[in-house]
Amino acid sequence: MDSILKEYIFGDMVARYCLDEKKHVGLQLYPRNMPIPEMIKKNAKLDGMVQLKISGDIYQGSYAPGNTLRNGESTERLLFEDQEEVLIENSQTIITTLRDQRGYEVRHFLSWQEGAKSVEIWNELKNSSKTPISIEMLSSFSLTGISPYIEGDGHNNILVHRLMSRWSQEGRLSTQTMEELQLDTSWTMEAVRCERFGQRGSLPVNGYFPFLAMEDRKHHVFWGAQLAHGASWQMEIYREDENIAMSGGLADREFGHWLKVIKPEESFVTPKAIVSVCHTDSIDVFTKRLTDVGQKAADMGPEEEQELPMVFNEYCTTWGCPSHENIREILDVIKGKGFTYFVIDCGWYKQPGIPWDMSMGDYEVSNELFPEGLEKTVEAIKEAGLKPGIWFEIEGVGKAAKAYQMEDHLLHVDGTVLTTTRRRFWDMKDPWVEQYLTEKVIGFLKRYGFEYMKIDYNDTIGIGCDGSDSLGEGLRINIEKTFEFLEKVKREIPGIVLENCASGGHRLEPRFLAATSMASFSDAHECEEIPIIAANLHRAVLPRQSQIWAVIRQEDSLKRIAYSMAATFLGRLCLSGDVTRLSSQQWNVIEHGMAFYKKISSVIKRGQSYRFGPEVVSIRHLEGWQAVLRVGEDGAKAYLVLHTFDGELPDEIQIPLTEDCPRKIYDVYSDAKEEVAIKDSVLLYRPRENRKAVAVLLVRNE
């Protein structure tokens, strides 16, 4: 019979630590306003809140090997020893110690900041025995008891939400029932059912975001987590009986080729998981509880960033061939229009006849493109009233670069230099590499006075690299060294703005986001699906950090320009394109969009988003419409961004306004005058055209 070890209240959440007769500990989270009923009947055993697999220990049977490393001998041996509560200023941390009598100890941390709507969970394993151990899996978090409000197995009532990601198609929501994943119980309630998914490699958002949510749709309760980890990771949904558990952390030995040796008296700490529970019927409301953790790091970022200033990036103007001459032409047009940053993107280093994507790594300024030296161009940017930015791909080396031949300092796999068709990769743990990058990157930024760095990363090293206990551990350490270098950049150049880019959106995970000021939302530079991707990302990224392209072409109609500009209202505005060849009418639509962006920037910074519209079947062939309503944190302002696509449109689009949403229409943005009205707390819009955008600013009546 399970018992309650202790319960703790964290705002509107409750954490319940459960203890079974053998002294295993399980962790449940539930909404404070929905106490767990005592009389719910389930054929269910407690699932351990720490999942561990030590090499040589017995695996879970029941068809588990190859599918999961959970609940084997290593987990079964972890028994409760003690628990303490640590209160420091506005934080509350619960530390639960579990011990294996062989001399292994795991401390489970659950930490909450006052006012937060999520907790952070991680584990620390210490080897107090006299012999080394090899760990194959150690979870960051594990929750049991989903859902405690439904008797039996909860059939047809538990939904699984994941965020899928492909290059230039980031953030698509996938929702399936447990039954669609074949996670309903077996007839004996003994066979293991597990869905283990994640990502392997140095692009943590390449297939899925490190996110999982589960929903009791009968009682409108969500449980979910994000992992703050920049390398291989996994999430798992697990059941044997009528209990459902979810866990996640580093990709394990089976899934991510990860094994780590822990020597006597050594410890290992897992990545952090951001975890929450919420009583709501909206996944948009739930995911905000996770993404809002990033607000603290964003608030502590550069002062300039607090007003969400606009960016001009010349990449889609010069397509990898920036020069002093074409940058001067651009500056003559855009100066005084309200931009804060001017970013020189890739190609500033390329040598004659060599494409930019083959030559990164040496980082010698092109004499052909900048005959008077790059300092003249930086001076011109500053004279135009803009802060200069520059592109680097710190970790990668192109095959046309001299650095490509520096094999002793590059990553290896099985003794051979790790090589893709496009790249080799620096060994970031090599002191020589750190010094090289300090000179080539940090020294460069200081020498020319750059105040902004776009950090790109355009390939993945795959399962891992040599140099540690396993390929997966080699990968983990290499990414840790990348984070250390980013921190060094910020120490050496206080106030610098860092942009996180990885072929667009392949590093949109909490740790990389916390280490940088903003992130490229996608490589969808001028695609009609931009508003879809931008809206998707509200569930994974703070809009204040999501930099969205508005690439304007000379041949664009005014309607197309407004379509592109309106999409940037879903995040940070970044302009590019044929800006030196636009008409005054085209610039008029752009500038009205920029003015609208400034009016809503406080709501972009802090607010609650709600997505409306039919399901998107094909992101490359859009039909129907989409609207995103974002309500400011204080309720003083809100805005709506609506895009129509191809296909038949309704006679009238109706958007129900939330209770805290203001009702007064203050401004409307589009390419032409549009009729928008509010009646009985519903915003009404009659669409007249496909591929059209309209944005509406709402304010309080007073």
Side-chain angles (χ1 to χ4, degrees), residues 318-322 346-360 363-370:
T318 73
W319 291 115
C321 192
C346 56
W348 53 267
Y349 47 83
K350 74 186 190 72
Q351 301 306 309
I354 302 175
W356 71 265
D357 62 347
M358 294 173 57
S359 52
M360 76 290 298
Y363 293 123
E364 301 293 338
V365 176
S366 167
N367 292 325
E368 180 184 36
L369 298 173
F370 300 94

Side-chain angles (χ1 to χ4, degrees), residues 539-584:
R539 295 172 176 144
V541 179
L542 291 173
R544 69 185 287 185
Q545 289 188 286
S546 184
Q547 187 187 115
I548 301 167
W549 291 98
V551 178
I552 310 302
R553 293 295 170 214
Q554 183 180 19
E555 63 271 17
D556 283 349
S557 66
L558 302 184
K559 183 175 78 166
R560 181 66 172 94
I561 292 172
Y563 183 104
S564 299
M565 293 298 295
T568 68
F569 303 161
L570 298 172
R572 296 290 298 275
L573 191 158
C574 176
L575 192 75
S576 194
D578 301 337
V579 293
T580 61
R581 294 180 289 168
L582 301 179
S583 69
S584 59

Side-chain angles (χ1 to χ4, degrees), residues 3 16 124 131 133 136 202 255 367 412 430 479 494 517-518 527 564 574 646 682 691:
S3 60
R16 172 181 286 184
E124 179 184 22
T131 58
I133 58 172
E136 302 176 300
S202 50
F255 190 77
N367 292 325
H412 289 64
D430 182 342
I479 297 300
S517 297
M518 66 179 111
C527 305
S564 299
C574 176
D646 288 335
V682 177
R691 306 188 190 189

Side-chain angles (χ1 to χ4, degrees), residues 50-123:
V50 175
Q51 294 293 323
L52 171 67
K53 176 62 172 69
I54 297 173
S55 180
D57 280 358
I58 298 170
Y59 293 87
Q60 162 74 298
S62 303
Y63 318 110
N67 291 314
T68 182
L69 292 177
R70 297 174 96 261
N71 287 326
E73 178 187 2
S74 309
T75 299
E76 285 294 309
R77 283 179 172 269
L78 291 176
L79 304 180
F80 175 71
E81 182 165 286
D82 63 47
Q83 187 174 79
E84 62 175 316
E85 181 180 13
V86 179
L87 302 174
I88 301 176
E89 295 182 348
N90 297 322
S91 71
Q92 184 178 0
T93 302
I94 311 303
I95 306 173
T96 308
T97 302
L98 310 178
R99 189 173 299 280
D100 181 327
Q101 291 183 350
R102 295 175 294 180
Y104 319 138
E105 173 187 286
V106 176
R107 294 203 301 163
H108 176 282
F109 294 81
L110 186 153
S111 184
W112 178 70
Q113 295 288 324
E114 186 176 341
K117 294 186 177 180
S118 62
V119 296
E120 291 185 325
I121 301 176
W122 69 97
N123 289 308

Side-chain angles (χ1 to χ4, degrees), residues 134-145:
S134 299
I135 57 173
E136 302 176 300
M137 184 265 288
L138 178 60
S139 64
S140 291
F141 81 98
S142 188
L143 301 181
T144 189

Side-chain angles (χ1 to χ4, degrees), residues 301-319:
E303 183 178 351
E304 193 75 56
E305 274 294 278
Q306 302 311 309
E307 301 301 319
L308 312 194
M310 297 180 292
V311 182
F312 186 91
N313 183 305
E314 54 72 33
Y315 178 63
C316 296
T317 307
T318 73
W319 291 115

